[in-house]
Amino acid sequence: MIVCIGDVMVDVFYGDRGERRHPGGKASIYAVTARALGTPAAVMGCTGPDADGAAILETLRKAGADVSTVVELAGEQTGADFFEEQGWRMERGANWALTAQHVRDGLSALHAGGTGIDAVIVNQGISLEASQEAVAFAHEHGIFLVLHLGPEAIEERRKVSAEFYPLADVIVVSQREADVLAEHLALDVEGMDGVQLARTLFDATNPRWALLLSWGVGGAQLVARTADGVQEAGVPASTGPDHVVENYIGANDTAVSAWITWLAQGAAAPAERPFPETVDLLGRAVALAAVTLEYPGPLTAAVEAPERLAAHRG
């Protein structure tokens, strides 16, 4: 099982057809992608007792995800991303209400279950305390841990000890988060290309295994420790439909989840896979992300057409 911890949101779009609301959020996208690729997945996050929260839960259940650790809190409103003519804005809402105790209790219950936990993906669309608890639990129990950084937690992340990042097996940095992380770590990255930036962030954060600088369908740069030393590889952009904002927003999360799902499948531990195989799986994940651009809403490809994603299994 892959446990997906982080924000669960509704994505709200405005345009010629009026307001459209799609279930979304990083944790949701991780989970439905993993399920479409044949791996059990659970979502851990927080919603309010409202129509948006109910729609997200219905979508996750339809995809076959375990929602037993999604917390519904009275007095909270499900978080929302708004895509308007004047730009993007976010109401974090119930996501900040997920506590460290919620995370500890949820992970303990899932870990004690019959399926077991193969990997944990944490994104920082939740409070610092909750994300740190997830990191601590995974580290204590020897669970493969992926930390997907996010710009939403910029103020919180500046309070994080330098000991936080090395506990992760993989650190994922999306394009827009790279500069935020560099600023947090007081790194001068001006003028660096993707290769230089990925290596600089890898050296500064010191993850247990790898750092992935990901642009979703735009490709990726991977830096990883191997038996032959630190190795680096780039994955080119995928070819696919034009980038439409309401599709593109979920593509990076789909790519990350697909890569981690494939790494977690099979007998070998993710970090023990041959580096060329790891890079090949990453290339497939980038190609898979392009499939999501054909559908309205970031979860639609995995929920409505899982066979399209399953065709890309590693």
Side-chain angles (χ1 to χ4, degrees):
M1 170 181 284
I2 295 179
V3 181
C4 310
I5 306 175
D7 56 30
V8 287
M9 310 280 283
V10 61
D11 296 315
V12 186
F13 302 93
Y14 298 92
D16 296 339
R17 292 178 291 164
E19 180 184 288
R20 299 182 308 284
R21 306 176 83 88
H22 294 294
K26 289 184 181 296
S28 301
I29 297 170
Y30 300 151
V32 295
T33 301
R35 289 296 302 123
L37 297 177
T39 290
V43 177
M44 188 177 299
C46 191
T47 70
D50 47 39
D52 288 333
I56 293 170
L57 289 175
E58 180 182 0
T59 300
L60 293 172
R61 291 190 183 102
K62 182 177 181 180
D66 183 336
V67 296
S68 63
T69 53
V70 176
V71 180
E72 182 185 282
L73 289 180
E76 296 289 342
Q77 185 172 354
T78 300
D81 283 319
F82 296 91
F83 298 86
E84 304 164 319
E85 288 185 5
Q86 60 269 37
W88 165 77
R89 65 183 176 90
M90 174 187 296
E91 292 181 1
R92 183 57 49 188
N95 289 290
W96 282 143
L98 188 71
T99 68
Q101 193 61 54
H102 288 144
V103 171
R104 172 67 59 167
D105 291 347
L107 283 173
S108 296
L110 293 172
H111 186 61
T115 304
I117 301 175
D118 299 301
V120 170
I121 307 178
V122 185
N123 94 279
Q124 288 195 301
I126 54 178
S127 72
L128 172 64
E129 292 76 16
S131 60
Q132 283 183 316
E133 187 63 39
V135 171
F137 186 96
H139 184 67
E140 289 169 13
H141 294 84
I143 299 169
F144 189 77
L145 172 67
V146 180
L147 181 60
H148 192 171
L149 305 185
E152 303 87 358
I154 181 172
E155 293 302 324
E156 293 282 358
R157 218 165 57 242
R158 286 177 175 166
K159 304 172 188 176
V160 176
S161 166
E163 299 177 354
F164 185 73
Y165 300 113
L167 297 182
D169 292 281
V170 179
I171 292 177
V172 178
V173 186
S174 303
Q175 185 174 12
R176 63 178 178 168
E177 285 102 41
D179 289 340
V180 174
L181 178 59
E183 180 183 352
H184 167 56
L185 297 172
L187 303 173
D188 182 6
V189 298
E190 185 176 356
M192 288 187 180
D193 60 20
V195 176
Q196 295 168 320
L197 180 59
R199 183 55 188 260
T200 298
L201 295 177
F202 174 85
D203 291 338
T205 56
N206 193 33
R208 291 163 56 88
W209 177 47
L211 182 136
L212 175 65
L213 180 59
S214 173
W215 296 281
V217 295
Q221 183 68 28
L222 178 66
V223 186
R225 306 181 200 281
T226 73
D228 299 319
V230 175
Q231 296 192 51
E232 305 173 44
V235 171
S238 65
T239 57
D242 292 337
H243 297 174
V244 178
V245 64
E246 64 187 80
N247 299 337
Y248 182 64
I249 57 171
N252 184 62
D253 304 320
T254 297
V256 170
S257 179
W259 184 57
I260 297 303
T261 298
W262 285 327
L263 286 174
Q265 292 173 346
E272 296 174 358
R273 294 225 185 188
F275 189 67
E277 180 183 4
T278 297
V279 175
D280 177 66
L281 291 176
L282 180 57
R284 295 186 188 184
V286 170
L288 181 71
V291 174
T292 69
L293 303 187
E294 303 172 19
Y295 297 85
L299 300 186
T300 310
V303 176
E304 299 293 345
E307 69 280 356
R308 293 294 304 277
L309 276 70
H312 290 260
R313 288 188 188 185

